[in-house]
């Protein structure tokens, strides 16, 4: 995958209403695009859920708008993009208090993905992540 955040001809692209029930639909799209047996299915579902939730809670998508989920898969990686209606502030991997009930979505994306990022253009924001098909095991401390 080349870092371009534009959909390609074989990508699954679906626009969803910016309402909480559509987070489940975004998760279902990952299963449709990849299949449950795909090596990164579970991580892709989890991270997509986080980005869809962020789109609804923190952007204009959740105020009567919509958001788009794009799933692209190559021989080596899966990339998911969630484009929303934009917000006043860019996405933030901010520190969160231990008692907080929110603020862990992007840190989770950062921890589980090979790479991730966002673009802001014409008032909209696209947040994307990439998962390699094979994980390199982390050596255990001796």
């Amino acid at each position: 995958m080349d870092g371009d955040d534009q959909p390609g001809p074989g990508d699954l692209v679906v626009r969803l209403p910016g309402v909480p029930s559509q987070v489940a639909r975004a998760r279902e799209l990952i299963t449709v695009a990849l299949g449950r047996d795909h090596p990164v299915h579970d991580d892709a579902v989890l991270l997509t859920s986080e980005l869809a939730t962020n789109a609804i809670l923190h952007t204009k998508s959740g105020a009567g708008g919509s958001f788009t989920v794009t799933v692209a898969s190559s021989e080596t990686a899966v990339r998911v993009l969630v484009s929303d209606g934009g917000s006043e502030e860019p996405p933030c991997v901010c520190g969160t208090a231990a008692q907080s009930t929110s603020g862990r979505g992007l840190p989770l994306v950062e921890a589980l993905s090979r790479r991730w990022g966002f673009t802001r253009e014409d008032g909209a924001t696209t947040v994307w992540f990439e998962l390699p098909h094979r994980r390199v095991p982390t050596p255990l401390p001796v």
Side-chain angles (χ1 to χ4, degrees):
M1 313 219 106
D2 62 8
D4 183 12
D5 67 354
Q6 298 303 310
D11 299 347
L12 175 66
V13 181
V14 178
R15 181 174 297 279
L16 301 168
V19 295
S21 64
Q22 296 305 297
V23 174
R25 179 76 180 117
R27 289 191 298 263
E28 291 169 6
L29 293 173
I30 299 301
T31 300
V32 167
L34 301 179
R36 290 190 188 280
D37 294 334
H38 194 281
V40 300
H41 172 269
D42 292 347
D43 285 350
V45 167
L46 174 64
L47 299 184
T48 300
S49 182
E50 294 294 337
L51 296 186
T53 299
N54 284 354
I56 292 166
L57 293 179
H58 303 298
T59 77
K60 295 174 186 169
S61 293
S66 62
F67 65 100
T68 302
V69 177
T70 303
V71 185
S73 184
S74 73
E75 291 181 17
T76 60
V78 170
R79 175 177 285 195
V80 176
L81 302 86
V82 175
S83 301
D84 61 47
S87 62
E88 296 298 318
E89 299 294 323
C92 175
V93 180
C94 305
T96 301
Q99 300 80 14
S100 180
T101 59
S102 66
R104 292 181 179 80
L106 287 179
L108 192 58
V109 170
E110 187 171 71
L112 293 179
S113 65
R114 170 172 51 195
R115 14 184 239 148
W116 77 279
F118 67 89
T119 58
R120 290 171 54 95
E121 188 173 323
D122 298 327
T125 301
T126 298
V127 182
W128 60 269
F129 64 84
E130 191 173 285
L131 298 167
H133 285 199
R134 293 190 187 154
R135 293 224 180 253
V136 176
T138 305
L140 296 173
V142 183

